[in-house]
Amino acid sequence: MRPLDLFWLVVLLLPPVLALTVLPPFGQRMVTLVGVYALMGLGYQFVFGQLGALNLAQGALFGVGAYVAALTSPVLGFLALPAAVLAAAVPAAMVAGPVLRLQSHYFALATLALASLVNLVAVNAESLTGGANGISGFASSLPRGTTLLMMVWACLIAGVLLAAHLFRGSLGEGARLLREAPLVAATLGLDGGRWRLVAFVAGGAMAGLAGAFSAAVSGVVSPDVTGFSIMVLCLTSVVIGGARHPMGAVVGAMLAVCLPEMLRDFQGAWLLAYAAATLAVVLWAPAGLAGAIDRLRRLPAPAARPAEMPARLPAVGGPRRLVLDRVVKRFGGVDALAGVSFALERGEIVGLIGPNGSGKTTLLNVVAGLDRADGGTIALDSVNLERLPPHLIARQGLGRTFQTPMPEGESRASDLARAVSTDAAFLLLDEPAAGATDREREQLAMTLRRLRDAGRGIVIVDHDIDLLTRVCDRLICLDGGRVIASGRPAEVRADPAVRTSFLGLPAAAA
Amino acid sequence: MAYALIALGFVLALNAAGAVNFAHGDLVVLGGAVAVVAGVSLGLPGLALLPVVAVTLGAAGFVAARVAILPLAGRPPEATFVATIALAAIVEHGLTVGLGAAPLAAPSLVGSGSLEVGGLALGRQPLAILLVGGALVTAVWFLLERTQTGRRMRAVSSDRYMARAIGIPAARYIALSLALAGALAGIAGLLLGHQFLVAPTQGAGHMLKAYIAVALGGWGSVPGALLAALGIGFFETFVSAGLGDAWASAALYVGVLAFLAVRPQGLFGEPAGRRA
Amino acid sequence: MTATPLDVGDFTVRAGEIVALLGGNRAGKTRWLETILGFRPAQKPVVLFGQDVSHLPVERRVTMGVGYVPAGRRVFAGLTVRETLEASCWLPAPARRRLVDEMLALFPMLGARPQARAWLLSGGQQQMLALARALMNRPRLLLLDEPALGLAPGVVDGLLGHLRELAGNGMAVLLAEQRAGLALRVADRAVVLSRGRILRTAPAAELAGDPTLADLMAEG
């Protein structure tokens, strides 16, 4: 996410300033509404934009906020607003636990079921919600007019600035990794479940606040505020504005409020136009209108900043020894790893070789916790790793790089740099030299030696045997999930079993 | 039985597109609306509406594939979700603009009244729904399992890349699957439209029930989705007979949430097709 | 049928000939095969059976007479053996059924289980199904991507035997393989790849006796 520049700051501050100085009451009301929808959209951006999960409960949480504000304001007065925030955040936190573990299509379903449940209560629990007639007559206990406008926009401006600030740095980078490369994120020690929980609850709380404000604006709360159409409005306005642009929610909300006024003569046509615009944005401008405006202003697209290898590599501490003992991994009936044992000290580089399908990548996955071992033990000093989730293994001091898939615009070098930046004592590198030029290979070899000298232990899988021979202290050759040779590089390369299995050459021809 | 048709179309579209089609419920509504318009303005009898609705909605499914699904093939499934949600909103608001928001009644299939069968009085409309639904499910089964076209549709669903590598024009088959899904949705809309009326806002509810059926029946499994849809239909009928509609729906949603909490991977886990 | 089945500028595959495409992981073997098929854009024109197909989509190239056995087999999980073979055939129904029966007879491993769903087959059976599937539109050019991977030695011998027989009947075969020794047992010529580039093209017999081959390939 880019920081807000002067242009966007003006766009953000202009509506409330205009509303307070020149606009008639009707215009003020519209500006207030823009703020309300933008607030809900901003919260929605956390889960949908930053983490890429299709949450369909945001509209319902908005409705919960509206109802709670309407019900409690006669008693609590202005305090109904924090009550509404709590009322939306608490159920979000309660369902978040099980719901956030789900894969994308089940996540969408679960949030949709939750939303339908809220809607059902709003319609049917007549003694509480007034049923289809809704609730009215509470507006006098809530802020109104310019007070309301200022409160809404103060919250919105603070929220936008805070989000833009937060997602600029490592938080934005972490969110990007979780969205585009969840495995990489896990091996860097990011706990995806926790991130989603915080985003879901924070976003829900903002929806609750927006809902409470909307109750104050309209003075009436009916089951419509919990309906699917509010959800669709929220989703479409965020998509149109720009799901990951700091101003996306604001731009989308401006359109959502202004369009119906412009198309007032055609009943309902604005919603049609809005939906069509959403489809067009998804197809042709995935960065949304705010992103498109940035392009027109000839700002460069916000590029992912590839991690760079630090100039100095400080010595690392942490565990001293990684030990694998008879590790087994089965896929279906096939033993991908059939009892692999070896040990690695810090300050040592071990190369892992073997033909396609011999189990090299599986071995790295099992050690990093991305696949679960079916047998054997893996330990860093005295800590057993084989039952830990990947992000906890990473925090024990174990980093890993990947062959594929890499988030867009990334190189293997930055993947390695990122793994190094965690100060992991042990690094598992999967084909770091693949696709590299001779010069890059030389640099890689140098980097690896520096990492070793800084006291790290490295396991490297690669097909460039010359490179491995130069940098590794030991080579281990796998075939059919077993270690068939292990020792100094020259010995392993000369081993007849290695030549046969690795190249399919008869031993005699070597 | 109408739920079964909705769920059947939903799962066909899901398998072909590789992503949920959120506009599916609105295709059901659109089918009902076409039936209303054709039945009232053209005065066509109920049975003649079947082919009209099927062809119109088949074309709608084809258009959905062309504008919201095929162009997004290389993007994450969320992009398709959003595109189809937008498409759903287009259909919903288009209908509201065109026909108004008030519910309309679709013509009945074979007139009202009931038949005496073996001493039991059966409504003609429910009976017709049962027969049409049963015939369509059988026809789709035959298409998928016994014809070259069906085999190729399944091959495309299973592995789009490999299907192209044996010469199958995958994009055309995906559009075909979506057209079939649209036709089934439309007919379901026609069948439901007489008893439950047709209103533009019903789409989300139809889609949600199909979605639930597919999740319960095993993601991507055609027979599983059919069974689950029938189960949901019976469940709703019985619970709402005892406790009322609201409780029936509430029980269904709570049940789904509880189910997903206990079995995050669905009833039977992911089918083998997704491993490839 | 006099035109050369495959000409990509850097090398050709002639009718009745098995050419091995040798290289380690990531040497670019799959990339070459996918370029020939049209999954990737080509740098130089791809000429199939004398026709420049650079502008044709994958499915059009395939129906000209190209069979493809991809890496990892990629069988259609939910289809049965018989359904897979039928779906891959572009002949009218009676001829199609005859050809399926022929294929089931040719591969006894498949003939024993025609109604089995593909994902329930063993690795070797899946590989045979992938090969049989590629043969169902009577290709004149066959592309194989590491077909021997993960197969027991006996099954590999059977597979190589099939390839030799097919070439004997006039088919052009391009066999991408990491294990050079294995591929050189059946190939007439070989192309050695490293990092996407062609290092060397030579008769198989010459390469098989070449002690530098191992180092050549290890560069990848």
Side-chain angles (χ1 to χ4, degrees), chain A residues 328-338 357-366 370-374 481, chain B residues 275, chain C residues 73 123:
Chain A
V328 176
K329 176 71 199 171
R330 291 185 199 94
F331 290 114
V334 184
D335 281 3
L337 298 175
S358 59
K360 305 178 300 276
T361 296
T362 306
L363 185 65
L364 296 196
N365 281 345
V366 166
L370 300 175
D371 277 324
R372 186 139 284 189
D374 293 312
Chain B
R275 291 190 322 194
Chain C
R73 309 191 261 273

Side-chain angles (χ1 to χ4, degrees), chain A residues 19-103:
Chain A
L20 291 173
T21 51
V22 295
L23 288 181
F26 172 71
Q28 289 185 350
R29 195 184 136 94
M30 274 177 63
V31 172
T32 311
L33 265 182
V34 169
V36 168
Y37 288 137
L39 207 52
M40 166 164 64
L42 185 65
Y44 193 60
Q45 283 185 312
F46 295 159
V47 177
F48 174 71
Q50 293 300 333
L51 298 179
L54 186 64
N55 167 14
L56 294 175
Q58 186 81 350
L61 294 176
F62 176 86
V64 168
Y67 268 103
V68 168
L71 287 170
T72 59
S73 60
V75 184
L76 297 176
F78 278 29
L79 284 179
L81 294 174
V85 172
L86 261 183
V90 168
M94 267 162 37
V95 297
V99 162
L100 291 170
R101 280 184 297 139
L102 300 171
Q103 287 181 312

Side-chain angles (χ1 to χ4, degrees), chain A residues 487-503:
Chain A
R488 293 221 314 278
E491 292 165 14
V492 171
R493 278 188 80 166
D495 189 305
V498 172
R499 291 190 74 88
T500 314
S501 91
F502 197 32
L503 297 168

